[in-house]
Amino acid sequence: MYKDWNRRAFSPNQRIIADFIQKNEQRALYMTEQEIAGELGLSIASVSRFWKAAGYKHAKEFKARLRFRFESAPSVKMRDAMQAASGSPLPQMLLEVASHHLAETRRYLNGLQLEQAVEALSGARHIYIYSPGPCAGLAELMAYRMARFGLTIRRMAPSGHELLEALMHAGTKDVVLIFGFVQLLPETEVILDHAREAGYLVILITDRLVYPRSQDADIVLYAGRGEVWEFHSMVGPTYIIENLILGVGLLHKDSSLRKLDKLQQLRSRYGGKLPRT
């Protein structure tokens, strides 16, 4: 979509608008021309002229294309990924994609926020994880590894009223970690809304540089997964999770190692009687 834009032909103001739209896709989808102009300090006429320069008849046509991208079906994403892989060896293509996502994650990841997340998780009474859809595997990895440090992890229901069964117990000494990828879900909004009353700390892991209501989270960690319409890789989010796991372990290094030593002792003593799963 954006690769078709001839940026060299854009005026300085049009480059400002183009940059704003690319960095604020979800907001731009619902903003009026007047709102965009006001935020950028430009005239409404400048915004109106931009659409034709970008190859569209008007703002309505651009937003229709943008909305289609947000709603792209999994089959479309997989088909595009297969087409991209047809011109080169699959392992090489995936390695290049993964390297790009990791580099992007590292570029936009806030180191201070990562440290704050590690401290919050290590000191939490309970850690609740909201991990809808394909994020379930990330929650499983995090819960499995962090439980070894003695932390209490509770995974929340991915949708519906069952989410409230866990949320009702979250309080001021707890942390709720949310995976917020692509779009803002109603469940995410409920978690953010209830945080004001319950007082728990919210960590948001997102693949959007500008994510709706990210300002309501206490800590925001960026994980690159590719554009909205692309087949999404979990390399970036896994990198974040492993940073959190190792960070918590290092923060309390001695006690963490003692717990792992105890696990090894139990394995040596009883491992022969128990099947490995």
Side-chain angles (χ1 to χ4, degrees), residues 31-277:
M31 293 176 75
T32 64
E33 291 185 344
Q34 183 175 0
E35 288 171 336
I36 294 174
E39 182 152 339
L40 298 179
L42 302 175
S43 67
I44 298 177
S46 294
V47 177
S48 297
R49 287 193 293 267
F50 170 77
W51 312 116
K52 185 168 291 187
Y56 303 96
K57 294 179 182 178
H58 37 58
K60 186 176 181 180
E61 183 182 1
F62 169 77
K63 290 182 177 181
R65 282 282 304 278
L66 189 58
R67 186 174 289 107
F68 171 78
R69 279 183 39 204
F70 283 136
E71 297 171 353
S72 291
S75 60
V76 175
K77 297 178 182 179
M78 182 60 74
R79 188 180 301 114
D80 290 344
M82 290 178 175
Q83 290 176 350
S86 62
S88 60
L90 182 60
Q92 180 62 32
M93 188 275 288
L94 288 177
L95 181 60
E96 291 173 358
V97 170
S99 297
H100 171 74
H101 293 331
L102 286 172
E104 186 181 54
T105 299
R106 187 67 190 91
R107 183 181 306 118
Y108 294 111
L109 178 63
N110 186 308
L112 178 59
Q113 296 254 298
L114 183 63
E115 291 179 11
Q116 292 173 346
V118 167
E119 292 177 359
L121 291 169
S122 65
R125 179 185 61 175
H126 297 127
I127 299 170
Y128 296 86
I129 305 178
Y130 176 62
S131 53
C135 307
L138 298 172
E140 185 74 26
L141 172 64
M142 185 174 177
Y144 181 82
R145 292 287 174 84
M146 285 196 170
R148 291 178 170 179
F149 300 145
L151 299 179
T152 303
I153 313 289
R154 298 183 179 181
R155 277 159 287 181
M156 308 173 80
S159 62
H161 284 197
E162 288 187 21
L163 176 83
L164 305 178
E165 299 291 335
L167 198 61
M168 66 180 289
H169 299 293
T172 55
K173 297 181 180 180
D174 301 324
V175 171
V176 179
L177 185 144
I178 305 171
F179 291 97
F181 294 151
V182 181
Q183 59 182 332
L184 179 66
L185 299 176
E187 289 79 7
T188 301
E189 288 199 85
V190 168
I191 293 171
L192 293 171
D193 287 343
H194 188 57
R196 301 169 186 164
E197 176 184 340
Y200 50 76
L201 185 141
V202 177
I203 299 174
L204 169 66
I205 299 178
T206 179
D207 59 349
R208 299 292 96 193
L209 291 174
V210 179
Y211 186 78
R213 292 197 59 179
S214 60
Q215 71 277 5
D216 294 325
D218 298 283
I219 298 170
V220 180
L221 302 175
Y222 176 80
R225 296 199 312 150
E227 298 291 352
V228 176
W229 63 92
E230 294 178 331
F231 176 77
H232 289 141
S233 167
M234 285 297 182
V235 171
T238 301
Y239 171 76
I240 297 294
I241 293 302
E242 292 186 341
N243 266 275
L244 294 175
I245 293 169
L246 289 173
V248 169
L250 287 170
L251 194 61
H252 302 288
K253 184 177 179 180
D254 292 339
S255 63
S256 297
L257 292 177
R258 280 197 300 270
K259 287 183 173 65
L260 293 177
D261 285 340
K262 185 174 182 179
L263 173 61
Q264 186 57 38
Q265 291 169 9
L266 290 171
R267 284 178 173 177
S268 299
R269 184 181 303 173
Y270 302 113
K273 296 183 178 180
L274 300 173
R276 292 184 67 89
T277 56

Side-chain angles (χ1 to χ4, degrees), residues 11-29:
S11 68
N13 284 346
Q14 288 169 349
R15 292 193 189 99
I16 292 174
I17 298 169
D19 184 64
F20 173 80
I21 289 173
Q22 283 191 260
K23 293 178 179 177
N24 300 273
E25 287 184 317
Q26 292 185 328
R27 287 181 61 210
L29 186 60

